[in-house]
Amino acid sequence: MTVQELFDRVVAEWPSRVNISDGYLVTDIGFMFPTLSSVWDNVEDRWKDNGDEWMNVGIWSLFQAAHRAARNTQSNNRKIIDISKLKISDFEYYLRLNLDQAEYDEYRALLK
């Protein structure tokens, strides 16, 4: 599996744009974006029981990349993030971080 292939598969499951105007600062832990979290929950619910661990870890990694983009976007006073324009490098960063566990040794070895 290549990072690009997984990124494309995961992005296709998300809406193209997510409104982050409901984001707010939570003391000591950072930002909360309820709509973004709800979108992630919906995507995750569609895939969590299908046995495709690539998609499961990819969905979580894309949420993390989207959350990073939301924090940056909100600090620039914008209220929408475009999922299709997320940086693949952010997705790859979180994907590799998430795969850096013993249970994912086989997946790490297969990632290109």
Side-chain angles (χ1 to χ4, degrees), residues 35-92:
T35 300
L36 178 60
S37 293
S38 177
V39 169
W40 166 57
D41 287 340
N42 290 335
V43 174
E44 185 181 50
D45 285 347
R46 289 196 311 265
W47 282 92
K48 69 180 176 185
D49 295 326
N50 73 352
D52 187 338
E53 197 58 27
W54 280 115
M55 283 299 286
N56 291 327
V57 74
I59 289 165
W60 172 238
S61 301
L62 191 76
F63 170 75
Q64 291 172 294
H67 194 275
R68 173 185 270 181
R71 288 189 319 262
N72 293 338
T73 298
Q74 193 174 57
S75 69
N76 292 325
N77 293 321
R78 296 194 329 258
K79 304 298 180 194
I80 303 285
I81 58 169
D82 188 335
I83 296 298
S84 66
K85 292 183 180 173
L86 291 176
K87 294 177 183 177
I88 193 169
S89 59
D90 287 346
F91 173 76
E92 182 174 7

